[in-house]
Amino acid sequence: MTDTLLTLHCRNSSNRRLKDYPVTCGVPMPTGKLQSTRGLAARLPGGRVVPVQAQVTQRWPDGSVKWLVLDFEMPFAANPNSGDPSQVTNATLVRTANAPSAVSITVKAGADTVTATTPTYRIVVNRRSFSIFDAYVVNGKNLVLPGSDIVVEDLNGKKYYASLSKRIESRVLVNGPMRSVIEVSGRHTAEDGSEMLSFRVRYTVRAGDPCCRLSYKFTNREE
């Protein structure tokens, strides 16, 4: 038995055909409609059912789901007119007893490192001293070495290094089978110990994506 929950309207804004493109979106649910994320899947045009990663971010007072973050993959035909909003592809969120299983990501947080493994690569992030990657392994070969850095420079030419941050904080923001997000944060620090600009780096890994997405953000907390 399949229960239809809602329909998502997705549009390809490029003129390229996209195969199994990763989609992340937040959706609202009415009161009492959904109690659990068990058995959720997405039905694509043509009837194919694909796995869904569902994260509950808010619930109604009765305990039912109010907001969900969904992750799934779907193909898109090329959009010959990328500005045409009418060219949409619909995906239907369903609840079914035969929901397919996702190709899984594994994330392991140890005392010194966080390791994320996908079907195509493995990344290692240091939890004690900043380096963009401690390792990036593809087909058994490590492509990077520790020691990469992010450096900012003030108007006088003084340099501040992420690797010299006196304190590094790391956490796993999302830990799911299709999408996981790791965050590392600290303060850019000069060789004399002075600081300028807080930073955070987020690593987004997806089960079906051969690339790791990096997002860097700095915050000015100075007077």
Side-chain angles (χ1 to χ4, degrees), residues 7-222:
T7 299
L8 301 169
H9 307 287
C10 306
R11 182 169 63 91
N12 181 6
S13 61
S14 75
N15 59 2
R16 296 181 295 116
R17 184 177 68 88
L18 303 174
K19 179 183 179 182
D20 297 331
Y21 188 79
V23 175
T24 299
C25 61
V27 295
M29 299 297 296
T31 307
K33 181 71 173 179
L34 186 67
Q35 297 293 334
S36 169
T37 60
R38 183 177 301 174
L40 294 183
R43 187 172 62 233
L44 306 183
R48 182 163 67 100
V49 177
V50 298
V52 164
Q53 174 181 316
Q55 177 188 4
V56 179
T57 57
Q58 193 173 6
R59 291 185 178 271
W60 292 101
D62 67 354
S64 61
V65 176
K66 184 176 184 179
W67 279 97
L68 276 175
V69 175
L70 302 177
D71 285 278
F72 60 97
E73 296 177 353
M74 65 183 297
F76 290 90
N79 188 343
N81 183 0
S82 59
D84 184 0
S86 67
Q87 299 193 25
V88 299
T89 302
N90 292 336
T92 304
L93 180 66
V94 298
R95 181 170 47 198
T96 175
N98 300 312
S101 300
V103 178
S104 188
I105 298 169
T106 59
V107 177
K108 296 182 179 180
D112 299 321
T113 60
V114 180
T115 302
T117 304
T118 79
T120 53
Y121 63 85
R122 173 170 55 88
I123 63 169
V124 181
V125 178
N126 199 302
R127 305 188 74 176
R128 297 198 181 273
S129 61
F130 181 82
S131 177
I132 297 177
F133 292 105
D134 255 21
Y136 197 125
V137 181
V138 179
N139 293 328
K141 182 178 180 180
N142 184 21
L143 304 181
V144 301
L145 294 175
S148 53
D149 209 343
I150 298 175
V151 184
V152 296
E153 187 173 312
D154 67 15
L155 296 178
N156 298 316
K158 187 174 182 178
K159 295 181 178 179
Y160 299 78
Y161 303 84
S163 63
L164 295 181
S165 179
K166 300 167 187 175
R167 181 181 178 185
I168 292 293
E169 295 184 357
S170 64
R171 53 183 179 150
V172 179
L173 300 181
V174 179
N175 190 353
M178 300 188 69
R179 179 177 66 96
S180 292
V181 182
I182 302 166
E183 181 181 272
V184 177
S185 59
R187 294 272 291 166
H188 291 288
T189 305
E191 293 179 343
D192 62 6
S194 57
E195 299 177 339
M196 184 180 75
L197 303 180
S198 301
F199 70 87
R200 66 107 170 117
V201 178
R202 286 182 180 172
Y203 305 77
T204 300
V205 298
R206 296 180 182 270
D209 191 345
C211 303
C212 173
R213 179 178 180 179
L214 296 183
S215 170
Y216 165 80
K217 177 181 179 180
F218 69 83
T219 304
N220 183 5
R221 305 185 189 281
E222 330 307 322

